[in-house]
Structures are given as structure tokens and as C-alpha cells.
Amino acid sequence: MSTKLESLSLCLQNLLGDALVKTVERLGELTLIVKPQAYAAAMRTLRDHPDCRFEQLVDLCGMDYSDYGDGAWEGARFAVVVHLLSVSNNQRVRVRVFCPDDDLPVVASMVDVWPSANWFEREAFDLYGIVFEGHPDLRRILTDYGFIGHPFRKDFPLSGNVEMRYDPTQQRVIYQPVSIEPREITPRIVRDESYGEGR
């Protein structure tokens, strides 16, 4: 671990204390795993404390750990991962929080802390079914209004659900089964023997 990363890790451990489950340093990046009940307070500390000043939420996504490690995973199924950037201190950190309930995954919304979390949280809700408590407008953002289920969940079926679309011949909205054919995509390689010659 680099000196800068090590000092950041120690600083965050001192600041967040019991809110932290653990810190992980891998490939030159620091990940903080925080308790779900302390998530909102920890994130405010990361934004507001002068030693942190993570002004920007760069990315937020959901994760489904149900088959992680070839089924060896024994922790909570759903997590939210947030990437933060401190322009002031030129440092980054990743924050992971696991949803305590697999049947109804809920964590606090970060929209009031970083407004840029809005569409990211809507995407995680749409694709994983993670509910962000306190979000001002939590509704689907990528799938259609009549879509059933959450397509990034690992148990989402490849076929059997329905899609809603407008049929111009019937001049009305119709529902029809969705069928996704499993296939293997092999990239086509084009070789040009004279590529790069004479240019």
C-alpha cells in the first residue's frame, strides 16, 4: 500500500470508527465497507470533513452477490457501491454498503448529499430492485413502464416475462412474451494483409 493510501485509510478508520465494517486495499484502490444503518452519516462525513472533502459522487451502482465465488458467498445478497472523488485532496475512495434484507433491499438515498446520485439510484432500483429510502422520485429509468422484474438480478429468467409495446397494425398497446435466445458471440477478425504499408 502506498504511503498516501495508507494515511487515507488510517484517517478514514479514525473518522468513521464503528460505522466501518472493514477497509480493503487492492490494486492501489481503497474500499470502505460500511454498516447499512451508518451509511448516510458516514457518507456525510466523507463529503464534509476537511480531511476527506469528497465533493463528487462519480458513480453509484447495485450489485448482486447471489452466485459470487461460485456460490461460496454467505453474506448479504445485494450491495450498493459508490465511487467518490475529492478534487481538493486529489484522492478517490470506493464505498460499499450491503442491504440488510435480501427480500426487500433498502439503503438510504444519497440524493440530498450528492444530487448526481439521482439517476444512478434510479438505475440500481430499476435493474436490481434496490430501494433507496428518501429518494425524491424513485421510478424505473431504463426499462418500460409495464416491465416486470429486475433484469440484472442473477435469478432473472431469460424468457417468460412479457414486454409492452405499441403495435401499429392493431393500433394499440399489446403485451407479448419476451424471449432472449442464449448465444455465444464470437468476434469476427478482419485481417488486411496490406494494412499500414505505404501510408
Side-chain angles (χ1 to χ4, degrees):
M1 186 183 301
S2 72
T3 308
K4 184 175 182 179
L5 205 58
E6 191 172 350
S7 62
L8 175 62
S9 178
L10 290 171
C11 172
L12 295 176
Q13 287 174 35
N14 289 333
L15 284 175
L16 300 177
D18 291 341
L20 275 179
V21 175
K22 69 177 180 176
T23 60
V24 178
E25 187 275 326
R26 187 161 183 256
L27 302 173
E29 297 176 347
L30 183 64
T31 302
L32 309 174
I33 301 173
V34 298
K35 296 176 183 173
Q37 63 273 19
Y39 174 57
M43 295 302 263
R44 287 185 197 290
T45 300
L46 291 173
R47 184 194 63 184
D48 297 337
H49 196 279
D51 292 339
C52 301
R53 295 203 313 209
F54 289 100
E55 305 100 346
Q56 289 186 1
L57 183 143
V58 177
D59 190 22
L60 181 149
C61 67
M63 295 187 73
D64 182 354
Y65 281 87
S66 63
D67 276 340
Y68 186 73
D70 293 326
W73 180 258
E74 294 181 3
R77 177 177 176 181
F78 296 103
V80 172
V81 178
V82 182
H83 292 256
L84 300 176
L85 169 66
S86 171
V87 176
S88 305
N89 296 329
N90 190 24
Q91 55 196 14
R92 295 174 184 266
V93 71
R94 178 185 301 115
V95 180
R96 182 177 298 132
V97 58
F98 286 92
C99 303
D101 185 2
D102 290 346
D103 295 327
L104 181 62
V106 178
V107 295
S109 174
M110 291 296 111
V111 173
D112 60 335
V113 182
W114 293 280
S116 63
N118 187 347
W119 282 21
F120 291 124
E121 290 181 353
R122 285 181 59 192
E123 180 183 52
F125 166 70
D126 190 1
L127 301 178
Y128 290 95
I130 298 171
V131 176
F132 292 89
E133 196 169 43
H135 191 286
D137 186 21
L138 194 61
R139 58 191 163 100
R140 291 188 181 273
I141 192 169
L142 295 173
T143 59
D144 206 350
Y145 296 112
F147 193 87
I148 298 167
H150 305 284
F152 278 16
R153 287 189 174 191
K154 292 185 180 173
D155 58 359
F156 185 78
L158 292 180
S159 62
N161 286 317
V162 296
E163 72 173 335
M164 180 177 70
R165 68 174 184 84
Y166 179 77
D167 186 348
T169 57
Q170 297 180 34
Q171 294 185 344
R172 66 182 183 93
V173 173
I174 62 167
Y175 291 87
Q176 66 185 134
V178 174
S179 178
I180 303 170
E181 298 297 323
R183 62 186 174 138
E184 185 175 317
I185 300 174
T186 306
R188 196 176 112 217
I189 299 171
V190 178
R191 289 193 168 83
D192 183 0
E193 300 300 327
S194 61
Y195 180 77
E197 294 176 13
R199 292 182 184 171

